[in-house]
């Protein structure tokens, strides 16, 4: 199964700039690149921070942009989003019984699970008791199928002080469910605006750059957190029986290329 993961697009009303760039234009560029190079993908997942301020106008721009995407898409919420405004523009988006933007995508070989970690009034990620119960049931229903878990917030510290303080708070609860069911094969998140990967108690994870701006790779953070205009990218995920491959596609890269003949 081939999945495209895009994250942290931070759309603003048309014509506005964010950190000196136009996030709408960059997202449209991203979609054009995906259509041109990855039309064979099964699904596109956008893991949150769909807008910068959670305003309805920006969600309407998102809806217009997605009309040009040739892949089916699943949308997750991030800390910059607003659930009510989002649902007003996207009334048909899958939700659970409590109105959280959560759902699954099943194939014969795997179950993709999409979590809603948005919590009003904070930029931290949260999984309340209702959401944890939903995840418990969803993992149980998957049985022996491998599960690929998508969320906006990573559940644990990534050695990035500028972002770790607003990570997912229910790390212990999530770990207990992952350990109990034993079928979560890989975890994919956004939020940190950086490519990173590793393992969390044995479960592999990956994060993805944003499409407009990044967070500087500052391990000391002796001053304020810094926004970086490093090249944007999205992830190309190959979910195979024998393992997972993650590539980062820098869709605005114009660096010089040379033929190589070995």
């Amino acid at each position: 199964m081939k999945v495209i993961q895009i994250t942290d697009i931070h759309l603003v009303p048309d014509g506005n700039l964010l950190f000196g760039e136009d996030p709408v234009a960059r997202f449209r560029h991203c979609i054009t690149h995906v259509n041109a190079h990855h039309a064979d993908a099964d699904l596109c997942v956008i893991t949150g921070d769909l807008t910068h301020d959670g305003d309805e106008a920006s969600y309407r721009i998102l809806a217009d942009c997605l009309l040009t995407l040739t892949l089916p898409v699943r949308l997750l919420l991030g800390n910059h989003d607003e659930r009510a405004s989002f649902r007003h523009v996207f009334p048909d988006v899958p939700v659970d019984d409590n109105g959280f933007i959560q759902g699954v995508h099943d194939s014969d070989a795997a179950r993709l699970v999409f979590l809603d970690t948005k919590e009003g009034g904070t930029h931290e990620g949260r999984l309340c008791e209702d959401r944890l119960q939903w995840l418990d049931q969803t993992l149980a229903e998957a049985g022996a199928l491998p599960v690929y878990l998508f969320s906006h917030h990573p559940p644990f510290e990534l050695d990035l002080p500028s972002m770790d303080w607003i990570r997912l708070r229910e790390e212990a609860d999530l770990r207990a469910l992952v350990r109990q069911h034993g079928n979560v094969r890989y975890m994919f998140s956004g939020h940190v605006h950086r490519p990173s990967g590793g393992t969390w108690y044995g479960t592999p994870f990956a994060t993805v750059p944003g499409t407009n701006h990044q967070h500087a790779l500052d391990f000391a953070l002796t001053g304020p957190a810094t926004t970086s205009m490093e090249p944007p990218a999205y992830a190309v995920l190959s979910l195979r029986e024998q393992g997972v491959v993650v590539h980062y596609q820098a869709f605005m890269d114009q660096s010089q290329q040379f033929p190589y003949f070995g």
Side-chain angles (χ1 to χ4, degrees):
M1 188 175 189
K2 181 177 179 179
V3 177
I4 302 301
Q5 183 187 358
I6 301 171
T7 197
D8 295 276
I9 59 180
H10 284 263
L11 299 186
V12 296
D14 262 334
N16 289 4
L17 300 182
L18 186 62
F19 302 111
E21 297 290 346
D22 183 344
V24 176
R26 286 190 163 209
F27 181 53
R28 291 189 185 278
H29 190 155
C30 179
I31 290 176
T32 298
H33 195 280
V34 170
N35 288 342
H37 297 280
H38 302 289
D40 61 331
D42 299 283
L43 184 69
C44 177
V45 183
I46 307 181
T47 47
D49 280 359
L50 309 173
T51 66
H52 191 63
D53 293 313
D55 57 293
E56 189 169 315
S58 295
Y59 288 120
R60 294 197 181 281
I61 293 171
L62 172 60
D64 182 66
C65 290
L66 292 178
L67 291 175
T68 65
L69 180 63
T70 59
L71 303 177
V73 65
R74 295 299 293 257
L75 303 174
L76 281 67
L77 296 189
N79 49 294
H80 280 262
D81 290 306
E82 292 297 336
R83 195 174 288 107
S85 299
F86 171 78
R87 291 195 63 185
H88 191 255
V89 177
F90 294 93
D92 299 325
V93 69
V95 298
D96 67 12
D97 292 340
N98 295 293
F100 293 110
I101 314 301
Q102 304 195 131
V104 302
H105 177 91
D106 286 329
S107 71
D108 292 338
R111 164 167 278 197
L112 278 58
V113 176
F114 311 109
L115 285 176
D116 183 341
T117 58
K118 161 70 181 179
E119 184 75 8
T122 180
H123 285 289
E124 295 178 350
R126 302 304 303 266
L127 285 174
C128 62
E129 189 61 33
D130 288 335
R131 283 174 279 189
L132 288 167
Q133 288 181 3
W134 178 88
L135 179 59
D136 186 11
Q137 179 179 345
T138 300
L139 294 179
E141 291 172 350
L145 277 179
V147 172
Y148 300 96
L149 192 60
F150 291 82
S151 65
H152 180 69
H153 295 81
F156 57 102
E157 293 183 353
L158 302 182
D159 297 329
L160 295 173
S162 63
M163 298 301 292
D164 284 344
W165 69 284
I166 50 173
R167 68 186 185 279
L168 184 70
R169 286 303 169 192
E170 284 72 29
E171 175 182 356
D173 297 300
L174 180 58
R175 182 193 174 199
L177 290 178
V178 170
R179 182 175 50 191
Q180 172 189 338
H181 293 283
N183 52 7
V184 176
R185 192 176 190 189
Y186 219 106
M187 302 172 66
F188 303 98
S189 301
H191 187 54
V192 296
H193 293 243
R194 295 215 61 83
S196 69
T199 60
W200 174 61
Y201 294 105
T203 302
F205 74 90
T207 67
V208 183
T211 58
N212 187 70
H213 57 281
Q214 317 309 327
H215 288 292
L217 190 60
D218 186 347
F219 296 112
L221 198 66
T222 56
T226 305
T227 295
S228 165
M229 301 314 292
E230 299 166 60
Y234 59 85
V236 183
L237 314 177
S238 181
L239 313 180
R240 308 173 181 176
E241 182 180 354
Q242 65 269 40
V244 174
V245 178
V246 179
H247 289 287
Y248 295 101
Q249 183 88 61
F251 61 90
M252 296 184 70
D253 177 47
Q254 295 182 345
S255 57
Q256 192 172 3
Q257 298 183 9
F258 300 88
Y260 175 70
F261 300 104

